[in-house]
Amino acid sequence: MLSGCASLPESSAPQALGTINQQPTSEGPMPPAVGRDPALLLRDFLQATADPTDQHAAARQYLTPTAAQRWDDTTSTVIVDRPDTLFESRADDAATYRIRAQKVAEIAPDGAYRAMEGPPLEYKIEMNRIDGEWRIAELPDGVVMDESAFAKSYRRYALYFADPNATSVVPDLRWVSAPKNQLTQRLLDLITQGPQPGLAPVVRNNLAPPVSVRTPITKVNGDPGEVGVGIGGVRLDFLGAAALAPRDRELLAAQVILTLARADILGPYVLLADGKPLDDRYANGWTVADVQQFSPEVIAQNRVGLHALREGGLVQVSADGITEAPGYFGAVRNLQSASLTPDGQFVAAVADAGRPPPEPPRTLMVGNYGGTQFPVAEGTTISRPSWTADGSAAWSVIDGERVIRVVNDRGTGTVSLQDVDISGLTTGSNALRLPITEIRISRTGVRVAIIADGKVYVAVVVRQPDGKFALTSPMPVAVDVSTPAVSLNWLGGDTVFIAFQGNVDPVRTVQIDGSGLLPLTNRNLTAPVRSVSVSPEHQYVADSRAVLELTSTPDGGEPYWREVPGLGANAVPVLPG
C-alpha cells in the first residue's frame, strides 16, 4: 500500500523530485565551459537557470555583460520539458537560435507551482562571440529552466495554515531552492508571508502580524549556526504570541512543527512566546506527536473499516468475512454508490428509483447506519456522495451541473438541502467545462477534488457571509494525461488518487498543485478501473472483475493489487469520507 503519514515521525521526509543544491562555495558558481559550442552553451544555460542564488548569478555568466545587466529574472519562471535549441543562422561572431519546448509549469515568486498545458513556448536567442567565447546577447526577460535541472535544485515543501474551524491544519505546497542551513528561516518566512491568494480567504495564519519570529533562530542550546542541519533541534521565540488564546497557540505550534518536520528539520522544537514557554506543558520542547492530531493525514485515518456495495446493497468487509450492513442500506438491492461518515454513523447513497422516463431515475438517500433513511434529492445523474470530516454535510452533484450540500443536523435529527455556488469554477483563466461527474471534499473541508468533463481539478471551498458555500480558484492537475478521469479520492491532505480510462497507467496520484503525477503499479489490474476509495492506510479500486487492495510484499518488493475475496465482479469499495 502507499505510505501514508498516519503517525508522523519526528522527521518525515518530504515528497521531492530532486535534491537541494549545496551551499555555494566561496568561489561562486561554476563558470561556463571553455570553448563551448553555442548550441551546447544554450543547453548549459537552461540548466544554470535552476539556481536562483544571487539573482541567478550562475546563469548570468552565460550572458554578455550588457545582457547580464539588462536581463530581468523576476518577471516569470517557467519549467519546460526537453527544450530544443533550433539553429537559425550563424556568422563568425554571431549566431541566432530559437528555443522551443513544451511548458510544464510556472513557479510564482512565493514558490507556488502551477501545472500548465497549451501551446509550446518558443522564443529567439541572439548570441555573440566575445574573446573567443560564445555568450548570449539577447533573450527575453524571465527565467526558463529545464525540468531535469529544476528537479535537482528545487524541492517541494508543505506549509501549514489553520482551517476555519481551528480543528486541523491545511497544507499549502511550495517549491524552494535553498541550502539546508537556510531552510528553517526560509520556510518560516513563507509562513509569515501567508497562504497563496486562492487559499487566503479560507484559512487562518497564527504566524502573522502582530506575531513574528525573533531572530536569530537557534538550535535548542542557543547556537545560531547550522540550524536545521542534523540533530540539535530548533528554538523559536514568537514575539506577540503571549496575547494568543490557548487554542491559537496550539495551532501556531502545529503550523510550525508540521512544516519543519515534513522538511526533515528535526526536533525537539522549543517554542517560546515573548521569552516564556508557548505552553508550559512543553517547556522542554515539543515533538511531532504533540501536534499530530491537527495533521490532515491523521484526521483522514479510517476508523470504520472497509465496506462495499455488492449486488446493490451495502456490506461490511472484515477479517471474519462479509456481512450485510444493518438496516435499509444493507437490505436494498438498488444502490449505485454510497459513502459513510468518518465515524460510521450515517450513510449517503444514490439509489436507482426504478421510475420510468421522464421521471428522474436516481434518488439521493441519507440515513443512520442501521437506522432510518429518507430521500433528499432526485436527478437523472447523481454523483457519489462525499462526507465532511465531522459528518455534518454530504456533497454531491445533480445532473452534472448542480452541486449540493446535504446538511445533517445531528442535534435535531433534521436534514436540509443547500445549493453550492459554482460560478467561480466556470469563469476565469482556469474555468472548467461541465459536466462535473465526481466531487470529493478534503478532510480539512477547505478543498474539493473534482472531475469535470474528464479532467481533474482541485478547488477551494469558501463559506460566504450568509452561511452558504461557494467553490472557487479551480486548479487543473494531472494535465499531462490524455485519457479521461473516471474516479478520484483524497489520499491524505495534499495528494489525490485518480482512476483513468484505458489500460495504460489507469491509476495515478498527483499533488494538489499539479506536480508529482505518478503512475501506480497495474500488476493484477484488469481495465477498466471503475472506482477508487482510499485512506492513508489502505487503497482500494474496483476494476472489471473485482475489488482489489494495493499491497506490498513482505520483503519490500514491487507493490501489487490483491483481490478482496468474496465481493464479486460488480462490487465497489466504500471507505468513510
Side-chain angles (χ1 to χ4, degrees):
M1 64 181 178
L2 294 179
S3 58
C5 301
S7 179
L8 289 171
E10 288 306 300
S11 67
S12 177
Q15 296 168 323
L17 293 182
T19 57
I20 303 175
N21 276 355
Q22 298 300 312
Q23 189 166 2
T25 63
S26 59
E27 289 79 15
M30 289 289 294
V34 175
R36 196 69 159 161
D37 178 84
L40 296 178
L41 187 91
L42 270 183
R43 293 188 176 276
D44 295 344
F45 171 71
L46 294 174
Q47 294 282 320
T49 53
D51 181 0
T53 306
D54 295 331
Q55 297 179 311
H56 292 90
R60 290 183 191 273
Q61 298 178 108
Y62 292 79
L63 312 184
T64 65
T66 300
Q69 281 193 333
R70 187 174 60 237
W71 180 49
D72 184 354
D73 62 342
T74 65
T75 59
S76 64
T77 300
V78 177
I79 305 162
V80 298
D81 180 31
R82 295 188 298 271
D84 293 325
T85 53
L86 306 176
F87 171 79
E88 287 200 349
S89 64
R90 179 171 173 178
D92 290 341
D93 295 319
T96 301
Y97 285 82
R98 186 168 295 275
I99 303 293
R100 184 171 63 198
Q102 188 62 45
K103 292 180 285 188
V104 173
E106 187 172 23
I107 302 295
D110 62 1
Y113 183 104
R114 301 283 188 273
M116 302 178 72
E117 56 183 345
L121 178 72
E122 188 167 341
Y123 61 95
K124 184 181 293 188
I125 295 286
E126 300 287 353
M127 304 183 72
N128 291 337
R129 183 150 49 185
I130 300 176
D131 298 329
E133 299 294 336
W134 288 99
R135 293 295 182 263
I136 298 169
E138 292 186 20
L139 77 166
D141 289 333
V143 174
V144 176
M145 71 179 82
D146 192 321
E147 186 177 23
S148 63
F150 170 76
K152 294 175 183 177
S153 182
Y154 283 75
R155 198 167 180 175
R156 180 175 57 230
Y157 298 97
L159 310 181
Y160 285 96
F161 299 94
D163 80 333
N165 299 320
T167 57
S168 67
V169 290
V170 178
D172 183 356
L173 301 185
R174 308 295 178 89
W175 289 80
V176 176
S177 176
K180 189 64 179 292
N181 61 357
Q182 298 175 17
L183 186 59
T184 303
Q185 182 69 65
R186 176 69 175 135
L187 293 176
L188 292 171
D189 287 344
L190 286 171
I191 296 176
T192 301
Q193 292 165 17
Q196 297 181 47
L199 197 60
V202 297
V203 295
R204 299 165 52 204
N205 185 10
N206 292 290
L207 186 53
V211 178
S212 62
V213 178
R214 184 194 298 271
T215 55
I217 298 169
T218 69
K219 295 183 177 181
V220 169
N221 64 5
D223 181 3
E226 299 295 303
V227 176
V229 179
I231 61 175
V234 181
R235 183 181 184 274
L236 298 169
D237 189 359
F238 300 107
L239 300 177
L244 293 178
R247 185 66 167 183
D248 289 334
R249 292 189 183 205
E250 274 193 292
L251 287 164
L252 170 60
Q255 284 186 241
V256 170
I257 292 170
L258 294 176
T259 296
L260 297 182
R262 282 201 60 180
D264 204 19
I265 296 170
L266 305 180
Y269 309 95
V270 174
L271 306 183
L272 307 176
D274 299 294
K276 298 180 180 180
L278 184 69
D279 188 319
D280 289 334
R281 295 174 296 173
Y282 310 112
N284 295 324
W286 299 63
T287 68
V288 173
D290 298 323
V291 294
Q292 69 175 357
Q293 70 270 23
F294 296 106
S295 165
E297 285 72 23
V298 172
I299 295 171
Q301 286 180 347
N302 175 18
R303 297 172 175 85
V304 174
L306 175 64
H307 287 71
L309 286 185
R310 185 182 66 172
E311 298 176 354
L314 186 66
V315 297
Q316 185 172 17
V317 184
S318 69
D320 298 327
I322 299 171
T323 56
E324 187 177 283
Y328 164 83
F329 294 102
V332 297
R333 294 294 179 265
N334 65 343
L335 301 184
Q336 307 295 307
S337 64
S339 181
L340 284 76
T341 55
D343 62 6
Q345 294 187 23
F346 290 86
V347 181
V350 178
D352 182 351
R355 291 185 293 256
E359 295 298 316
R362 298 287 183 264
T363 301
L364 180 60
M365 311 292 294
V366 173
N368 301 89
Y369 185 85
T372 59
Q373 90 297 324
F374 46 88
V376 295
E378 297 177 340
T380 302
T381 62
I382 302 178
S383 71
R384 176 174 54 157
S386 177
W387 285 99
T388 55
D390 61 0
S392 64
W395 291 61
S396 187
V397 185
I398 309 293
D399 296 334
E401 59 185 21
R402 180 190 174 198
V403 177
I404 61 168
R405 294 175 71 248
V406 180
V407 181
N408 178 33
D409 189 329
R410 298 194 181 196
T412 63
T414 60
V415 173
S416 59
L417 197 65
Q418 186 181 88
D419 283 297
V420 176
D421 180 3
I422 65 167
S423 60
L425 300 181
T426 56
T427 58
S429 58
N430 289 329
L432 56 80
R433 181 182 298 174
L434 301 175
I436 299 172
T437 54
E438 178 96 292
I439 186 167
R440 310 301 295 171
I441 189 161
S442 69
R443 289 298 175 87
T444 64
V446 165
R447 293 185 174 99
V448 291
I450 292 172
I451 298 176
D453 193 34
K455 298 185 180 297
V456 181
Y457 298 83
V458 172
V460 175
V461 180
V462 177
R463 184 163 189 167
Q464 299 173 316
D466 60 3
K468 296 183 179 181
F469 287 77
L471 299 180
T472 65
S473 305
M475 180 70 62
V477 298
V479 298
D480 291 334
V481 184
S482 58
T483 53
V486 296
S487 181
L488 53 74
N489 218 317
W490 287 95
L491 181 68
D494 54 18
T495 307
V496 181
F497 193 100
I498 314 167
F500 294 90
Q501 284 184 10
N503 55 12
V504 178
D505 298 329
V507 182
R508 311 188 196 201
T509 60
V510 70
Q511 301 298 298
I512 54 176
D513 61 358
S515 66
L517 178 65
L518 298 174
L520 300 184
T521 180
N522 60 4
R523 287 181 62 190
N524 296 338
L525 286 182
T526 304
V529 176
R530 297 175 289 117
S531 181
V532 300
S533 192
V534 303
S535 69
E537 308 98 329
H538 300 280
Q539 298 85 45
Y540 298 95
V541 303
D543 70 1
S544 64
R545 62 179 183 85
V547 171
L548 303 100
E549 179 181 7
L550 187 60
T551 308
S552 295
T553 57
D555 60 0
E558 182 184 353
Y560 63 96
W561 293 97
R562 178 178 58 86
E563 182 175 344
V564 179
L567 287 176
N570 296 317
V572 293
V574 178
L575 289 178

